[in-house]
Amino acid sequence: MWSQIKSLLTNKIFYLGLGSLIAAGALFLALLDFVIMPAYTNYNEGVTVPDITQVSLDEAQERLTSYGLRYEVAERRSNSAYPADYVIDQMPAAAEIVKPNRKVYLTVNTEANPTVQVPKVVDLSLRNAQIQLENYGLRVGTISYESSRFKNVVLRQSVPAENIVPKSTMVDLVVSDGLGEKMVDIPNIKGLRLSEAQQKLQKAGLRIGEIRFQPSKEFDPNVIINYEPQKDQITVGETLKLIVSERFEVKEEDESGAVIDTSNISSPEDNNN
């Protein structure tokens, strides 16, 4: 057996065959690296992505096709700044260099803004209210604070619950600051003009609820006649009902002319008799 191996190792044909096999492998690798793979991946070829935002979907399709690119509508959303079926975003972005036949993903403006029903977030915590509104596709607007007993609880919302509104509508929230257990004196506002009374109540941390107007001969218009509740102190953040004077209009009786009583006047014929 050793003699056979020795004979094989000293055979020139064996080395020629081995050399040919190695050369063929090297040639295949060179072809794969420099010819096959570059052809498959379009090596040294690229396309500059055109800007197709702010144009119609039909125009975008024509432009991409002329550049040797494909497209797909990835998302539709509403934007009042664009007409329906206009491209408002693209990926890859304009001016990027991509391979030929690359797919460009488009965001297209919808014809109508989708609507949602506003959830009730009053009495929820501020955090839960924000999550709830965002889950419905709405946005949280201005957050203002008022004195009330429980901290960070929503007291009011600017858009009433169950209203149907466009998606992305902004909802303002009024939230409790947790200072509602503090008692304050009700300032003396009787006899003040309405604007002056509003400033005094606001400075005391109180709010104005209902305003009822009452005709008055004694007071000029827009003067505080009275308020409710009639207390010396109330909780910070509570509301007062104001009774405000308005012009007293005297209703004049209709003038219908003089009324003549003819019941006791005798006719000439009666006098002759």
Side-chain angles (χ1 to χ4, degrees):
M1 183 177 180
W2 172 251
S3 61
Q4 292 177 348
I5 295 173
K6 185 178 179 181
S7 175
L8 181 63
L9 292 176
T10 56
N11 193 333
K12 293 181 180 180
I13 297 176
F14 169 75
Y15 287 105
L16 288 174
L18 184 61
S20 299
L21 185 61
I22 294 172
L27 179 61
F28 175 75
L29 290 175
L31 289 172
L32 184 66
D33 192 24
F34 295 104
V35 178
I36 299 174
M37 289 305 295
Y40 179 75
T41 59
N42 296 317
Y43 184 71
N44 283 338
E45 290 185 30
V47 176
T48 302
V49 179
D51 185 3
I52 50 173
T53 58
Q54 303 183 35
V55 301
S56 68
L57 182 58
D58 291 339
E59 184 178 345
Q61 180 182 6
E62 291 178 5
R63 195 177 297 180
L64 290 172
T65 302
S66 68
Y67 276 72
L69 299 170
R70 297 175 296 144
Y71 83 97
E72 179 180 325
V73 177
E75 183 184 0
R76 287 185 180 270
R77 65 168 181 256
S78 178
N79 189 323
S80 58
Y82 297 93
D85 288 328
Y86 260 54
V87 179
I88 56 180
D89 198 8
Q90 66 181 89
M91 181 61 64
E96 284 193 23
I97 298 176
V98 299
K99 299 295 181 185
N101 205 36
R102 168 71 184 271
K103 185 179 286 186
V104 179
Y105 296 91
L106 308 178
T107 300
V108 180
N109 194 30
T110 57
E111 184 173 356
N113 195 359
T115 58
V116 294
Q117 187 178 52
V118 179
K120 179 185 176 183
V121 296
V122 173
D123 296 330
L124 295 181
S125 69
L126 175 59
R127 177 61 180 159
N128 286 339
Q130 290 172 318
I131 294 172
Q132 188 88 311
L133 291 172
E134 289 169 2
N135 287 342
Y136 275 74
L138 301 170
R139 293 185 296 156
V140 178
T142 303
I143 299 174
S144 56
Y145 288 86
E146 286 185 3
S147 294
S148 187
R149 184 172 182 181
F150 301 103
K151 190 172 183 179
N152 284 334
V153 172
V154 177
L155 302 175
R156 294 190 302 281
Q157 59 190 86
S158 62
V159 184
E162 299 184 2
N163 276 20
I164 305 298
V165 298
K167 250 187 173 182
S168 299
T169 294
M170 196 169 287
V171 180
D172 299 332
L173 301 177
V174 178
V175 181
S176 168
D177 61 7
L179 302 177
E181 295 183 351
K182 181 181 177 183
M183 301 295 291
V184 294
D185 295 329
I186 298 179
N188 184 15
I189 58 173
K190 288 184 180 180
L192 296 181
R193 297 190 65 81
L194 178 57
S195 58
E196 296 172 330
Q198 287 174 321
Q199 292 176 3
K200 269 201 167 186
L201 292 173
Q202 185 178 9
K203 188 175 180 180
L206 301 174
R207 295 184 289 122
I208 297 175
E210 178 186 353
I211 297 178
R212 182 163 63 86
F213 288 90
Q214 179 177 306
S216 174
K217 293 181 180 180
E218 182 181 355
F219 296 95
D220 292 333
N222 290 324
V223 172
I224 306 298
I225 299 175
N226 211 338
Y227 61 86
E228 297 175 2
Q230 289 286 333
K231 298 180 180 178
D232 294 331
Q233 288 188 329
I234 58 175
T235 306
V236 170
E238 280 195 47
T239 59
L240 274 76
K241 175 182 176 181
L242 303 183
I243 300 169
V244 181
S245 63
E246 67 176 356
R247 188 179 300 280
F248 188 88
E249 300 289 349
V250 179
K251 294 184 178 179
E252 297 183 357
E253 296 183 1
D254 294 336
E255 295 183 1
S256 54
V259 178
I260 300 175
D261 185 4
T262 60
S263 58
N264 294 323
I265 299 178
S266 58
S267 66
E269 295 180 359
D270 294 336
N271 291 333
N272 293 331
N273 294 330

